[in-house]
Amino acid sequence: MDFDSIIHALIPSSTSVTLLVGFFAYLAIAGSIIPGKLIPGVTLPDGTRLLYRCNGLLSLIFLLVLLGLGAWNKLVSPTAVADRGLELLSTTFIFSFLVTLVLYVAGCRSHDQSSSLKPHVTGILIHDWWFGIQLNPQFMGIDLKFFFVRAGMMGWLLINLSVLAKSAQDSNLSQSMILYQLFCALYILDYFFYEEYMTSTWDIIAEKLGFMLVFGDLVWIPFTFSIQGWWLLSNKVELTTAAIIANCIVFLIGYWVFRGANMQKHVFKKNPKAPIWGRPPKVIGGKLLASGYWGIARHCNYLGDLLLASSFSLPCGISSPVPYFYPIYLLILLIWRERRDEARCAEKYKEVWAEYRKVVPWRILPYVY
Ligand code: NDP
C-alpha cells in the first residue's frame, strides 16, 4: 500500500460512521435492558458505591446471534469490518478525541471535580484532557468507563471474527489463524464471563476517564490487539505439531495464572477468610493477601497476562517482529502500571504495604523482577 492509498483508506466514510454508531447504540440499549448481576463498585470518596450491571456476556452472545442472522440473510457482510479496517480506525480515533473534549468540558463544570487545578495554563489543560478530570462520569445512567472498556473488548472480537471471515473468503485460512483466533476468543469470552471482577481493577477504581483511557479502550485494544490477525491475512506461517503444542501450553499456563490470581484477589476482597489453595489465607495487617499467587509475586496476574499475550503472537512464528507488538507493548504497560499501583498501595496501606513487600519481595516474576 503506498502513502496515497493509506491516506485515502483512512478517510471515514458514512459506512464506518454508521457501523460505529450502530455498535455503540446496540451496546447502550443492550447494556440497559439485558438482565445481569448488579455488582457494587468500591466505596467512592463521597462514601457512595456505583452499581455495575454485568451483562456483557449476554450482550455479546445476543450481538453475535444478531450478526450471524444478518450474515445468513445477506443483510450484513461478515467482512464489513475487515474490509475497512483503516477507515474504522480513524473514525474511532476521531470519536475518542471528540468524546474526551466533551468529557473535559463536563469535568470542568462538574461539582465533584477532583482536580483543584483550573485550566488556565495550557499544560494543565492538556494534562486534564489526557488523564481525565472525573473518576466515574455517567451519561444517561451509563457508567462511561465501564461502557468503553466493554466496547473495546467486544470490538476486538468483532474485528477478529471479520478478519477470520476474510481469511476464509480468500481461501487462506491457516492453523496459525485458527490458533490465534481461538486463544483471543477464549480470552475475551472469559473476560465477559468474569466481568464482575473488572469492577475492582485499577482502571475502574483509580484511573480518571480522559483521552488516555478512552483511546486505550476504543482504539488501542481492538485495533492493536488484533495486529496478529491482520498480519496473518497476508503472511503464511507453517507450524510444526511441537510448536502448536508448546503454544497451547503457554496459553494454558498463562490463563491458569492470570485467572487464578485475579480470582484469588476477588474472593479475598469478598471474604478475607476464604481458603486459598485449600489452606487458610496468610493476611498482612488484616488487609493484604500474601498467599497463593499473591504470595509468589505482588502482581502475578500481570505475569499470567504476559504469557497469554505471548501465546496470541506465537502462532505467527518468528519471521517478523510485527505480531509481537502486543506482548511488547503489554510488558511496558504492565511494568509502568505496577510502579503506579505500587505507589498507590504504599500511600494507601503505609506500613502494612511495607510489611507485604518484605514478605513478597518480587514484583511480577520471581527471581527476575
Ligand atoms: P490489579 O487487579 O492487580 O489491582 C491492583 C489493586 O489490587 C491494588 O491497587 C490494590 O487495590 C489491590 N491489591 C494489590 N495487592 C493486593 C494484595 N496482596 N491483597 C489484596 N489486594 C491487593 O491490577 P489491574 O487492575 O492493573 O489488573 C487487573 C487485570 O487486568 C490484570 O490481570 C492485568 O494483567 C489486566 N490488564 C490487562 C491489560 C491489557 O491491556 N491486556 C491492561 C491492564 C490490566 P485496593 O485498594 O482495592 O486494595
Side-chain angles (χ1 to χ4, degrees), residues 29 73 84 122 132 136 140 181 188 218 240-241 252 309 333 346:
I29 296 168
N73 292 301
R84 40 182 74 75
T122 313
N136 301 105
M140 292 171 69
Q181 290 281 345
I188 296 166
L218 294 184
T240 62
T241 309
L252 289 173
L333 176 105

Side-chain angles (χ1 to χ4, degrees), residues 22-232:
F23 178 50
F24 288 146
Y26 169 80
L27 282 185
I29 296 168
S32 315
I33 61 176
I34 291 181
K37 248 197 218 170
L38 284 179
I39 304 293
V42 293
T43 307
L44 298 171
D46 64 1
T48 59
R49 293 177 84 177
L50 289 172
L51 281 180
Y52 297 95
R53 188 193 288 260
C54 294
N55 57 5
L57 188 62
L58 269 184
S59 304
L60 175 61
I61 292 171
F62 193 57
L63 176 61
L64 294 177
V65 170
L66 283 180
L67 290 174
L69 288 173
W72 185 261
N73 292 301
K74 307 226 177 310
L75 296 170
V76 184
S77 161
T79 60
V81 174
D83 289 337
R84 40 182 74 75
L86 283 177
E87 215 184 279
L88 280 165
L89 170 70
S90 58
T91 311
T92 315
F93 179 84
I94 293 167
F95 174 82
S96 306
F97 184 81
L98 294 178
V99 92
T100 47
L101 284 184
V102 175
L103 279 171
Y104 174 77
V105 174
C108 288
R109 287 187 179 169
S110 73
H111 294 295
D112 65 331
Q113 187 175 331
S114 41
S115 163
S116 57
L117 302 170
K118 293 286 172 244
H120 58 278
V121 182
T122 313
I124 294 171
L125 188 151
I126 292 173
H127 174 278
D128 282 358
W129 166 75
W130 181 268
F131 287 104
I133 296 177
Q134 291 173 288
L135 187 60
N136 301 105
Q138 313 282 307
F139 178 68
M140 292 171 69
I142 296 170
D143 181 84
L144 290 178
K145 209 155 46 166
F146 203 58
F147 179 85
F148 288 144
V149 70
R150 178 181 278 187
M153 293 299 285
M154 278 194 201
W156 179 16
L157 184 64
L158 294 184
I159 290 178
N160 275 359
L161 292 178
S162 191
V163 165
L164 179 68
K166 191 155 183 66
S167 167
Q169 189 188 60
D170 298 349
S171 308
N172 73 352
L173 196 54
S174 60
Q175 284 175 329
S176 303
M177 179 65 93
I178 294 171
L179 271 189
Y180 164 73
Q181 290 281 345
L182 184 69
F183 293 155
C184 290
L186 288 173
Y187 181 77
I188 296 166
L189 287 174
D190 170 86
Y191 171 89
F192 284 111
F193 190 80
Y194 292 106
E195 195 179 26
E196 67 176 271
Y197 293 5
M198 187 64 201
T199 59
S200 62
T201 57
W202 162 273
D203 280 352
I204 296 288
I205 62 180
E207 204 83 84
K208 292 176 189 164
L209 190 62
F211 184 76
M212 185 179 77
L213 208 54
V214 176
F215 174 82
D217 288 344
L218 294 184
V219 182
W220 197 259
I221 292 181
F223 290 96
T224 66
F225 292 12
S226 56
I227 281 179
Q228 299 92 317
W230 296 106
W231 187 86
L232 284 169

Side-chain angles (χ1 to χ4, degrees), residues 202 262 265 269 289 301-302 305 341 344 348-349:
W202 162 273
N262 285 325
K265 188 183 74 172
K269 294 276 179 194
L289 176 63
N301 51 349
Y302 289 179
D305 215 354
D341 192 44
R344 177 181 175 274
K348 177 174 174 183
Y349 292 111

